């Protein structure tokens, strides 16, 4: 039977890993935030992320809205560049 780790035990494990590696020291909350941000940037579905973190999709949108807004801006530029590659004329607003 596998028992869940306590928050304190998990913190000690993360602290030990950061001391032994070149990974900067990070809190468990910071690690959770980083995990979510990376998944969003990789295009993971918000519902999947929310289930993984034990939150609602609405909470993910509220807390990580700035990340999603950045991605929207990037998507406009990416789409505009793609159109230019195929020779289409565009006046996409960024």
């Amino acid at each position: 039977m596998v028992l869940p780790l306590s928050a304190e035990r998990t913190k000690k494990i993360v602290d030990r890993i950061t001391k032994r590696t070149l990974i900067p020291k990070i809190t468990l909350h910071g690690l959770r935030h980083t995990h979510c941000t990376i998944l969003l940037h990789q295009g993971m579905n918000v519902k999947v992320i929310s289930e993984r973190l034990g939150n609602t999709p609405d909470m993910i949108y509220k807390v990580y809205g700035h990340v999603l807004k950045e991605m929207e801006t990037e998507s406009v530029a990416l789409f505009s560049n793609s159109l230019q590659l195929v020779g289409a004329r565009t006046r996409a607003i960024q």
Side-chain angles (χ1 to χ4, degrees):
M1 177 169 76
V2 177
L3 297 174
L5 294 174
S6 69
E8 184 59 32
R9 178 76 178 128
T10 305
K11 179 186 178 312
K12 286 180 182 180
I13 291 169
V14 171
D15 287 346
R16 189 175 341 133
I17 290 169
T18 58
K19 284 179 186 174
R20 291 182 181 177
T21 64
L22 297 177
I23 299 171
K25 187 169 176 143
I26 189 168
T27 65
L28 292 176
H29 182 76
L31 189 59
R32 175 186 170 91
H33 184 78
T34 300
H35 176 73
C36 183
T37 303
I38 289 170
L39 291 178
L40 287 170
H41 276 290
Q42 292 299 315
M44 179 65 63
N45 182 286
V46 171
K47 183 167 180 358
V48 172
I49 295 171
S50 68
E51 289 173 358
R52 186 173 178 89
L53 297 180
N55 295 114
T56 64
D58 187 51
M59 183 268 183
I60 299 296
Y61 285 117
K62 286 179 183 173
V63 174
Y64 299 94
H66 64 284
V67 174
L68 297 167
K69 184 64 177 169
E70 291 169 13
M71 292 172 63
E72 176 62 26
T73 302
E74 291 170 16
S75 73
V76 170
L78 180 65
F79 187 70
S80 179
N81 290 341
S82 296
L83 288 176
Q84 290 175 2
L85 286 175
V86 297
R89 292 185 182 195
T90 178
R91 293 180 193 247
I93 299 172
Q94 295 185 9

